[in-house]
């Protein structure tokens, strides 16, 4: 994973909106307990996205037994999805797979206005993208804290399944930190970050990029996938990217055009009963360190092969997805506490995370 002249500021000029400061200023005056109120407060913050792409298809002709290419046929086709407005001036979160390769992006608001959109940045490793429309005074959905989401908590999914605009479905959080191995990341030097919220709220084709909101009308996830079997339609479960990850990714895409990821530089396996027997671990908890990458953050901090990582930044980690979710909130140069067990003894160390290149410099697209 790792290989390891100045101008005074114009204080009167309008300051650009950032996703971070827009969200941090939101304060809800209501404690919403009725889902009719939640739907009313959030439905205008979800948009319909149409993308258009051109596909080139070779044209062939048979000539005296030989197949000869006679040119190409250009065919335009469309795809559809959903998006979530996260600032009043038109920054929208969606899935990367909704907008990747798009030559034209059109956003339809809940009031039926159609606006062209441009791609601000995309991140295949999390299947997230940020797009922007030129508008002011839009209704947006504030971010909630996905770390505080509890299994069994009621939620709403809002999107545009089958091109049916502004559709709301309800369910509960069925599980957290699900790794489904469904993100196909073309950047081979990065590990896909999958730590989905699982819900039984009905989601279908077209919901991708839509909102998963809690009973306080806060965004806790971006809907990204469904369990569909061979039908391609919803059969009981859907999955959403946690809001804490989306906020970090969106902020980096807006600022740098590329997500700044901090890495430990370890290869781990989950400590189950079999691993505990083989390694002598006293509990079936944590992540057993199989390998420490040379000259990476973990090695520099003194973590060794055979250690069992049990907490990252104060959060208990028992699965690879949980560790990746927690690390995904930090950037190269950030210092995080890592608790681990070595030879039956608990230890704690501060680790300065590094980027893919083994340093803490900003990586730009």
């Amino acid at each position: 994973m790792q290989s390891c002249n100045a101008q005074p500021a114009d204080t009167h000029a309008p300051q650009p909106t950032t996703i971070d400061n827009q969200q941090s200023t939101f304060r809800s005056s209501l404690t919403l307990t009725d889902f009719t109120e939640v739907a009313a407060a959030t439905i205008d913050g979800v948009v319909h996205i149409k993308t258009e792409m051109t596909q080139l298809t070779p044209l062939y002709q048979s000539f005296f037994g030989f197949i000869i290419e006679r040119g190409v046929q250009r065919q335009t086709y469309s795809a559809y999805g959903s998006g979530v407005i996260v600032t009043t001036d038109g920054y929208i979160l969606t899935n990367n797979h909704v907008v990747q390769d798009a030559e034209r992006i059109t956003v339809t608001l809940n009031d039926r206005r159609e606006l062209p959109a441009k791609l601000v940045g995309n991140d295949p490793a999390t299947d997230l993208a940020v797009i922007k429309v030129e508008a002011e005074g839009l209704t947006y959905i504030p971010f909630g804290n996905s770390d505080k989401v509890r299994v069994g908590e009621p939620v709403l999914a809002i999107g545009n399944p089958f091109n049916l605009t502004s559709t709301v479905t309800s369910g509960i959080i069925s599980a957290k930190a699900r790794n489904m191995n469904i993100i196909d990341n073309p950047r081979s030097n990065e590990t896909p970050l999958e730590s989905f919220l699982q819900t039984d709220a009905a989601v279908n084709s077209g919901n991708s990029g839509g909102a998963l909101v809690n009973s306080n009308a806060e965004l806790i996830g971006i809907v990204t996938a469904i369990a569909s079997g061979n039908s391609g339609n919803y059969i009981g479960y859907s999955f959403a990217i946690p809001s804490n990850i989306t906020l970090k990714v969106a902020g980096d895409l807006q600022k740098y055009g590329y997500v700044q990821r901090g890495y430990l530089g370890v290869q781990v396996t989950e400590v189950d009963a079999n691993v505990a027997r083989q390694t002598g671990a006293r509990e079936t908890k944590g992540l057993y360190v199989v390998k420490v990458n040379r000259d990476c953050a973990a090695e520099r901090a003194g973590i060794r092969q055979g250690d069992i990582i049990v907490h990252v930044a104060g959060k208990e980690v028992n699965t690879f997805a949980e560790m990746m979710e927690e690390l995904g909130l930090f950037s190269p140069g950030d210092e995080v506490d890592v608790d681990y067990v070595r030879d039956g003894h608990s230890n704690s160390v501060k680790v300065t995370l590094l980027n893919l290149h083994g340093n803490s410099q900003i990586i730009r697209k």
Side-chain angles (χ1 to χ4, degrees), residues 83-160:
V84 182
I85 303 172
V86 290
T87 68
T88 58
D89 61 348
Y91 282 96
I92 296 170
L93 276 173
T94 186
N95 286 140
N96 176 58
H97 75 258
V98 171
V99 296
Q100 67 181 0
D101 303 323
E103 298 170 1
R104 182 179 301 165
I105 305 172
T106 303
V107 166
T108 303
L109 306 179
N110 193 42
D111 62 11
R112 300 184 181 181
R113 279 183 291 166
E114 286 191 0
L115 300 171
K118 65 178 182 179
L119 180 67
V120 175
N122 63 317
D123 181 45
T126 54
D127 195 21
L128 286 168
V130 177
I131 62 176
K132 176 75 165 63
V133 296
E134 295 304 320
E136 298 291 340
L138 299 179
T139 298
Y140 72 96
I141 304 180
F143 279 88
N145 185 347
S146 55
D147 279 351
K148 293 184 178 180
V149 171
R150 302 175 63 187
V151 173
E153 180 178 336
V155 291
L156 289 184
I158 309 171
N160 304 280

Side-chain angles (χ1 to χ4, degrees), residues 260-290:
Q260 310 303 310
R261 288 198 169 84
Y263 292 97
L264 270 178
V266 293
Q267 297 177 27
V268 298
T269 188
E270 298 170 8
V271 180
D272 56 16
N274 186 47
V275 171
R277 282 193 298 268
Q278 293 179 357
T279 63
R282 297 177 182 178
E283 295 183 290
T284 53
K285 291 185 177 181
L287 298 166
Y288 181 84
V289 178
V290 177

Side-chain angles (χ1 to χ4, degrees), residues 65-350:
F66 295 95
I67 303 299
I68 301 174
E69 185 174 340
R70 297 303 245 180
V72 295
Q73 179 183 29
R74 300 175 64 89
Q75 183 175 5
T76 300
Y77 64 99
S78 300
Y80 303 90
S82 303
V84 182
I85 303 172
V86 290
T87 68
T88 58
D89 61 348
Y91 282 96
I92 296 170
L93 276 173
T94 186
N95 286 140
N96 176 58
H97 75 258
V98 171
V99 296
Q100 67 181 0
D101 303 323
E103 298 170 1
R104 182 179 301 165
I105 305 172
T106 303
V107 166
T108 303
L109 306 179
N110 193 42
D111 62 11
R112 300 184 181 181
R113 279 183 291 166
E114 286 191 0
L115 300 171
K118 65 178 182 179
L119 180 67
V120 175
N122 63 317
D123 181 45
T126 54
D127 195 21
L128 286 168
V130 177
I131 62 176
K132 176 75 165 63
V133 296
E134 295 304 320
E136 298 291 340
L138 299 179
T139 298
Y140 72 96
I141 304 180
F143 279 88
N145 185 347
S146 55
D147 279 351
K148 293 184 178 180
V149 171
R150 302 175 63 187
V151 173
E153 180 178 336
V155 291
L156 289 184
I158 309 171
N160 304 280
F162 308 122
N163 276 330
L164 300 173
T165 57
S166 306
T167 297
V168 177
T169 57
S170 66
I172 62 170
I173 295 295
S174 305
K176 298 178 65 175
R178 288 294 198 208
N179 186 337
M180 305 295 293
N181 294 315
I182 58 175
I183 294 180
D184 182 18
N185 181 16
R187 296 173 184 162
S188 58
N189 60 344
E190 292 184 348
T191 300
L193 198 169
E194 292 191 18
S195 186
F196 297 123
L197 297 174
Q198 178 181 322
T199 175
D200 63 353
V203 166
N204 279 289
S205 177
N207 272 104
S208 289
L212 189 70
V213 300
N214 62 16
S215 58
N216 290 321
E218 297 170 327
L219 182 69
I220 58 170
I222 297 294
V223 174
T224 194
I226 60 175
S228 63
N230 296 322
S231 69
N233 297 326
Y234 170 83
I235 59 170
Y237 291 112
S238 53
F239 303 91
I241 304 164
S243 58
N244 288 6
I245 292 177
T246 66
L247 182 57
K248 166 65 165 61
V249 169
D252 282 357
L253 290 176
Q254 187 184 19
K255 294 173 186 175
Y256 312 112
Y258 197 90
V259 180
Q260 310 303 310
R261 288 198 169 84
Y263 292 97
L264 270 178
V266 293
Q267 297 177 27
V268 298
T269 188
E270 298 170 8
V271 180
D272 56 16
N274 186 47
V275 171
R277 282 193 298 268
Q278 293 179 357
T279 63
R282 297 177 182 178
E283 295 183 290
T284 53
K285 291 185 177 181
L287 298 166
Y288 181 84
V289 178
V290 177
K291 180 182 178 181
V292 179
N293 295 343
R294 184 178 178 182
D295 199 29
C296 290
E299 184 185 63
R300 296 183 187 183
I303 296 174
R304 304 201 302 245
Q305 178 183 347
D307 292 344
I308 299 175
I309 297 173
V310 291
H311 293 91
V312 173
K315 181 178 179 180
E316 183 176 318
V317 290
N318 294 308
T319 67
F320 181 71
E322 288 175 338
M323 184 181 76
M324 291 296 289
E325 178 179 354
E326 195 60 31
L327 291 174
L329 306 180
F330 296 94
S331 300
D334 288 346
E335 191 176 71
V336 299
D337 293 320
V338 176
D339 300 331
Y340 64 93
V341 176
R342 178 183 295 167
D343 299 327
H345 301 286
S346 297
N347 301 273
S348 183
V349 67
K350 290 187 180 298

